Structure formats: C-alpha cells, structure tokens
Amino acid sequence: MPALLEVERLTRRFGGVVALDDVTLSVEQGETVGLIGPNGAGKTTLFNCVTGVLRPDDGEVRFGRGPMESLTGLAPHDIAQCGITRTFQNVRLFSGMSVLENVLVGTYIRTHAGLISSMLPSAEARREERWAQDRAMGLLELVGLAGRSHEMAGALPFGLQRRLEIARALSSDPALLLLDEPAAGLNAAEKQALLQLIEQLKGQGLTTFLIEHDMRVVMPISDRVVVLDYGKKIAEGPPKLVQENPRVIEAYLGTSTTVNREP
Amino acid sequence: MEGFRNQTVRWAIGVIAALALPILNPNPYHLDVLTNALLYALLALGLNLIVGLAGLLHLGYAAFFAIGAYTYGLLNLHWHWPFWIGMIPAAIVAGLSGVCLGVPALRVRGDYLAIVTLGFGEIVRIAFTNLEQWTGGPNGLLGIAHPKIWIPGRGLIDFGVASMPYYYLVCITTAAVAVVCVRLSRSRIGRAWVAIREDELAASCMGVPVLQLKLLAQGCGGAIAGLAGAIFASKQGTVTPDSFDFILSVMVLAMVVLGGLGSIRGAILGALLLGSLPELLRWFEQYRMLLFGLTMIVMMRLRPQGLFGRSSQGLAPDRAHAGSA
Ligand SMILES: Nc1ncnc2c1ncn2[C@@H]1O[C@H](COP(=O)(O)OP(=O)(O)O)[C@@H](O)[C@H]1O
Ligand SMILES: [Mg+2]
C-alpha cells in the first residue's frame, strides 16, 4: 500500500524540552496506526505538527493520495482542506452550537456558497445546504447522536461529546483521521462502542492514526503501532511484537510508577 | 419546519405592526424617537455580526457609522450624489475600512483587539475633526441633501424634516438587513463565524479559514454601519464628528449584549429598549449611562447569554479551552 502520510525527522522543542526528537514514521492508505507512549512522550505534539497547529523546528510532514505534498508552513485550515482532520485530547467542541451545527461546521470546506448567495435566496446554496444537512445527519446516525441533533453540544454527556467530535471530524470526508486519545475518560461500555465505531470506519476504507495512552485499548484495533518516549520513536511494528519489546515495557513501567511528565 | 413557519409569522406580524404604527400614532416626536431607536437597531445588527457571531470585541464601531455618514455627505456636497445612490458607496467604503482595519488588528486577540478597535474609533473621529479642509472640522458638513422620492401624481417629494418618511426608510432598511442577517447566520458562513467565536483553533482544524472570515465579519458589520451612517446624514442634513464618539460604540455594544450575543431578534430588541427608553423617560437623560451600566451588570449576573442568546448550559466550568490542544 502507498503511504498517505510521511513524517520525516520531525523535531519540536519547547524551551529546553525536546517534545519531538527526530521522529520518522509513515501511515499507509487504509491502515489503522496506533501511536502510544507515556504521558508527555510527545504524541499530541506530533498531531499538532501534522495539523499545522504547531510549526516543527525541523523536519517535514508530507501527505497525499498519489503524489505527496509537503505540509510545511500550511495553516490548519489548509491542511484540513488537504484531507486531514482531527479530534482533541481535551474535547474541543463548539459548545454553544447545537450538535447538528457542530457537524455542519465540518462541511464548510466541501461547500462553496459565497457571501451573496448566503444572504439572498439562491437555489444553488439551498441545494448545497440540503446536501450538508443530509451528510451531517448521516454522520450523527453513524455515531448514534441523530436523536439529539438539536441539543447544545456543551450539554451532552462527556462520552457523547467524544463521539460528536469524531462525527465533526468526519464531515469533511477526510482521507486521514487523527484521533487524540478518543477513549480517555470513557467507561468500559463506551470504550467498547468506540472500538466498534473505529472498526466500522476502517471497514469503509478510512485511514486512522490514533493516540492511545492505554496499550490494551489500542492493540486490538491497530494494524501497526508506533511507540514514542521522551520525544523519540523507540519501537514500531505489529501490536503483538511491540507489546513484548523490552524498551516499551521499560518506558511504560519506568514512567507510570515514578514521574508523570505531563504538566 | 413548524418552528420555521411560526417564526416567519412572528416576523411578519412585527413588520406589519411597525408599518402600521405611524398611521395609528402619527405623533412626530414619538416617530422620531422610534426612528432613532430603529437606526440603533440597524447598527446593532451590524455589530452583532462582528461581536455576536464572530466573537470579535469591537469598541470602535461608531467609526464605521461616521465613515458612512461622511462618505454620503461628501459625495452629496461635492458631486450632488442623491441619497439613493450615495448610500451604496457609503456602505462599501465603511465595509472596506472594516476589512482594512482588520488586517493589522486581527493579529491580536481578546482584550488587545478591544484596545486596538477603541483606538481606531478615536483616530477616525479625531481625523474627521482635524482634516478641516475636507470635513469642515469640528463644525462638520452642512447642508447635506435629504432623500427625495418620486410619487406618481405628486412628483418629486423631498423627505425634508418630516418624521414619517424617515421612519419608513429606517424601518424598511432595518427589516431588510435583519432578513439578510438571519439568512447569513444560518448559512455556512454564519456557522463558521460562530465556530470561530466558540473555539478558534478547533474551527481552523475543521477547515475554517479564520482570518478571512474575521475580515468578512468586519467588512459586513462595517458596511451595515456605513449604510446607517448615510441614512443618519441624510436625515440630519449635517454631520459633526462629535456624533460618533466612544459612547455611541459602547451603547450599541450594550444593545447587542442585552439582546444576547449572536441573536438577531435580541439585537433589535436590545436596541429598541436601550435606544428609546432614555428618550421617553426624559428625566432619565442624566442617568443614561448609569442605566446602561446597571443593565449590563444585572444581565451579566442573571442572564449572561442576554435576552435571546443561547446558553450552552450543562457545561462544566473547568471545561475551559485552556491547555494544550
Ligand atoms: N504548548 C506547549 N508549551 C510548552 N510545552 C509543551 C507544549 N505542548 C507540549 N509541551 C511539552 O512537550 C512534551 C510533550 O507533550 P505532549 O505532546 O502533550 O505529550 P503526550 O501527548 O504524549 O502526553 C511535554 O513535556 C509537554 O510538557
Ligand atoms: Mg497528549
């Protein structure tokens, strides 16, 4: 399978902290790749560099179905337009908007009505709006929120907020979905439902790159796992092998019992 | 769909009542007060796009009103542009100045943006005061033409200093702009504005071009204020810089906040309340600012989302958007 995302020698520092240290990895089309590592290993920083939220100090991110294009210097909205969308570790919904509107915001880049056709009656804009509404409702159905489409996003229970965030990220029909700890804060049943959802998306051919702090969650759904520790890639491979890798075991044991490196 | 129809009916009743009012109560003083309040409503609709939808705190909004008023005034005095044509460049110039202000100003956020826009408002007013050879300085522009319309059988009629024609002019303009604002707020652009207000970073990661949309909000809001400015100039026949001071910016902001940030009905109602009450309660004149301050404090305590704003209740207070992305 050809690569969809290539991260090459990516480095990002925060003052003295090297959050990403010369990280190289790739995600292939159709794959589900897990990114694991202890707290503070640099996982979120990697997502932030890929989505343009942060500028890397060094290295390059390339992306593309077919010819690869460099994402260096692009703004987050350009990168979304290229086909990468994401969720956030601390859910960032538009809490004052309805559930449906949250998902509709994601269709912005797939619709084109300009200022004038948004202000005045326009058949084209109406058609487009109906398309966006249908797409958004379809995604809400997929994540099991269709019945709550008119509630305020901020009023949803946390588990559903996480699902809504996934629907919002999917609404622009991305080629690559980045999930930052989608299972964090969920109870066992919600985790199970989430795994099912990710499986289902995989069945539809979506490429997913997901961060998961908890190895037990990420193992069953990942085709491949990449492990970060102190900003460095320390292991990569099929879940089974990675799980038995002594460096990985050490990284996990070493940090969970002594220091927590997240601020 | 049902809700949509109900709303249409309610709007229709409001518009019909507004149109019938001068026939039921032709008292020119009352009409004048209402006309002023509706002009405030027009301003509030524009500011609501900037502050209410896009979430950009703007404290110099009166400047756009001034730019519209002076644009029409100058075009009329120097080149005899009639009101109906002059109001178009007035809106365009004010809108463009909103965009131009946005280019440097939108690099800063929150409190800093408030300070930059406040400075802009003052600079524009002081510039109009000091550019004497063009603007007439502190005395302003005098003798700006009132609008004229041609009525079959009665010929060309000048609006003059009558109250009723201005009431209708402002009423119809405000209603039309309100309809446009409602449509806009329900469009992809309106949703993108609100998304920026709610969480700028998340919005940009969903593909919303944040800077471009903020400029658009400033441009649209500025254009509406420019239109209001042209109407104001044509009604007064004179414009002086002191009509466009900081207090005006604050008043319009108070109207938008009272009505509920982002709510179009709210902006109109807030403007009608705060714009007409102090006029009708004459003895209140001196306490006007006190009234605004108190209203704001009471609203913030009891109903921070305003009269018609939506609340995102159920939100845990610690779920702030702080911390790493
Ligand atoms: N915006 C930031 N400013 C300063 N330091 C940061 C910032 N973001 C992350 N860091 C630091 O970078 C390191 C990696 O953080 P992060 O990528 O969030 O880790 P992870 O997601 O793997 O838990 C941590 O030491 C963290 O303190
Ligand atoms: Mg993280």
Side-chain angles (χ1 to χ4, degrees):
Chain A
M1 269 294 195
L4 185 63
L5 177 78
E6 286 175 347
V7 171
E8 197 181 317
R9 312 207 62 170
L10 207 62
T11 300
R12 169 74 205 208
R13 300 179 199 88
F14 294 106
V17 179
V18 187
L20 285 177
D21 190 353
D22 210 19
V23 174
T24 298
L25 58 83
S26 73
V27 176
E28 287 167 16
Q29 262 173 44
E31 249 189 335
T32 301
V33 177
L35 179 61
I36 64 171
N39 264 334
K43 306 180 295 292
T44 299
T45 304
L46 179 77
F47 273 21
N48 284 341
C49 289
V50 169
T51 54
V53 172
L54 290 174
R55 290 272 157 93
D57 293 314
D58 218 335
E60 198 179 28
V61 178
R62 286 185 299 270
F63 174 77
R65 292 164 267 203
M68 303 293 277
E69 278 175 51
S70 172
L71 299 183
T72 310
L74 292 189
H77 67 264
D78 293 322
I79 291 172
Q81 179 100 53
C82 289
I84 304 179
T85 55
R86 67 176 291 179
T87 64
F88 297 89
Q89 184 172 348
N90 327 302
V91 179
R92 300 180 73 136
L93 289 170
F94 309 122
S95 13
M97 299 175 88
S98 76
V99 167
L100 178 65
E101 285 168 328
N102 265 269
V103 183
L104 283 170
V105 170
T107 65
Y108 184 88
I109 39 179
R110 299 288 169 249
T111 49
H112 308 282
L115 184 63
I116 302 297
S117 48
S118 299
M119 292 192 304
L120 304 173
S122 138
E124 179 59 33
R126 207 171 24 243
R127 200 163 28 241
E128 203 177 70
E129 179 68 17
R130 200 169 314 127
W131 172 85
Q133 299 263 353
D134 287 347
R135 170 153 190 90
M137 281 313 292
L139 285 166
L140 286 177
E141 214 135 299
L142 178 74
V143 301
L145 279 169
R148 311 183 73 148
S149 61
H150 290 289
E151 289 179 32
M152 281 293 147
L156 285 182
F158 185 72
L160 295 184
Q161 291 197 6
R162 281 230 183 270
R163 297 178 77 82
L164 174 56
E165 217 191 11
I166 294 175
R168 182 181 70 176
L170 288 172
S171 61
S172 62
D173 195 19
L176 174 64
L177 176 67
L178 305 182
L179 300 172
D180 195 344
E181 303 209 18
L186 300 189
N187 62 34
E190 289 169 334
K191 271 185 192 174
Q192 205 49 48
L194 177 79
L195 292 184
Q196 264 171 19
L197 176 61
I198 296 173
E199 285 289 354
Q200 201 177 343
L201 294 173
K202 186 178 175 176
Q204 295 173 8
L206 183 72
T207 311
T208 309
F209 192 15
L210 86 154
I211 292 177
E212 188 44 63
H213 180 65
D214 184 348
M215 282 221 260
R216 282 158 306 190
V217 174
V218 79
M219 295 307 171
I221 46 171
S222 301
D223 299 316
R224 206 151 52 80
V225 174
V226 175
V227 191
L228 286 185
D229 188 29
Y230 285 112
K232 283 198 172 68
K233 185 169 92 174
I234 59 166
E236 180 178 8
K240 270 267 156 44
L241 289 181
V242 164
Q243 218 162 1
E244 290 157 7
N245 184 322
R247 285 190 69 186
V248 176
I249 294 169
E250 187 195 344
Y252 265 80
L253 291 178
T255 55
S256 59
T257 52
T258 52
V259 282
N260 183 345
R261 273 172 273 155
E262 201 157 55
Chain B
M1 210 60 212
E2 203 45 45
F4 174 73
R5 247 181 238 128
N6 270 338
Q7 225 171 4
T8 315
V9 168
R10 242 178 285 148
W11 276 95
I13 291 173
V15 169
I16 291 168
L19 293 179
L21 192 112
I23 299 160
L24 301 176
N25 176 10
N27 178 334
Y29 170 65
H30 288 171
L31 278 187
D32 230 29
V33 169
L34 258 179
T35 306
N36 279 335
L38 281 167
L39 204 55
Y40 277 127
L42 187 55
L43 286 172
L45 282 172
L47 188 62
N48 183 51
L49 297 182
I50 301 176
V51 183
L53 293 184
L56 305 166
L57 185 50
H58 203 301
L59 290 181
Y61 191 61
F64 299 134
F65 187 46
I67 290 169
Y70 273 91
T71 303
Y72 165 61
L74 290 169
L75 286 172
N76 177 264
L77 290 176
H78 292 296
W79 293 285
H80 309 290
W81 286 42
F83 167 76
W84 306 108
I85 300 180
M87 68 182 189
I88 296 166
I92 292 174
V93 171
L96 286 180
S97 63
V99 175
C100 293
L101 162 70
V103 171
L106 293 177
R107 296 189 181 281
V108 298
R109 283 176 207 189
D111 305 347
Y112 296 103
L113 178 64
I115 292 167
V116 171
T117 53
L118 189 155
F120 169 73
E122 288 304 283
I123 287 168
V124 167
R125 186 175 56 82
I126 293 166
F128 282 134
T129 313
N130 290 338
L131 294 171
E132 288 213 49
Q133 64 272 44
W134 294 298
T135 63
N139 299 325
L141 303 175
L142 306 172
I144 301 166
H146 299 297
K148 296 186 183 67
I149 51 167
W150 187 81
I151 296 177
R154 292 177 61 190
L156 203 59
I157 298 195
D158 193 308
F159 277 25
V161 291
S163 300
M164 200 186 294
Y166 295 105
Y167 172 81
Y168 279 118
L169 172 63
V170 176
C171 199
I172 290 167
T173 311
T174 305
V177 168
V179 168
V180 164
C181 286
V182 168
R183 298 189 61 92
L184 204 50
S185 73
R186 289 178 186 161
S187 73
R188 65 194 276 272
I189 293 175
R191 283 191 297 261
W193 279 335
V194 178
I196 292 171
R197 178 191 78 194
E198 293 288 310
D199 188 328
E200 193 171 321
L201 179 74
S204 70
C205 285
M206 292 306 120
V208 173
V210 172
L211 183 64
Q212 189 188 326
L213 277 156
K214 283 181 176 177
L215 290 177
L216 190 64
Q218 291 253 30
C220 292
I224 292 173
L227 183 62
I231 295 175
F232 176 76
S234 79
K235 174 170 176 281
Q236 303 296 112
T238 61
V239 286
T240 54
D242 57 5
S243 316
F244 311 105
D245 57 1
F246 175 60
I247 300 293
L248 176 63
S249 299
V250 172
M251 257 167 54
V252 179
L253 184 64
M255 292 161 183
V256 174
V257 172
L258 174 66
L261 289 173
S263 161
I264 286 154
R265 301 182 276 174
I268 296 174
L269 240 90
L272 290 181
L273 276 176
L274 291 185
S276 61
L277 275 187
E279 287 294 335
L280 295 178
L281 312 173
R282 265 288 155 191
W283 48 271
F284 223 98
E285 183 77 63
Q286 293 159 23
Y287 304 105
R288 208 182 166 109
M289 283 300 126
L290 192 66
L291 173 74
F292 287 161
L294 275 178
T295 313
M296 289 304 102
I297 292 168
V298 170
M299 290 303 290
M300 286 302 145
R301 290 292 304 154
L302 300 181
R303 204 175 156 82
Q305 75 272 30
L307 294 174
F308 290 103
R310 292 205 276 183
S311 78
S312 48
Q313 29 80 25
L315 197 65
D318 61 348
R319 221 200 108 290
H321 302 308
S324 60

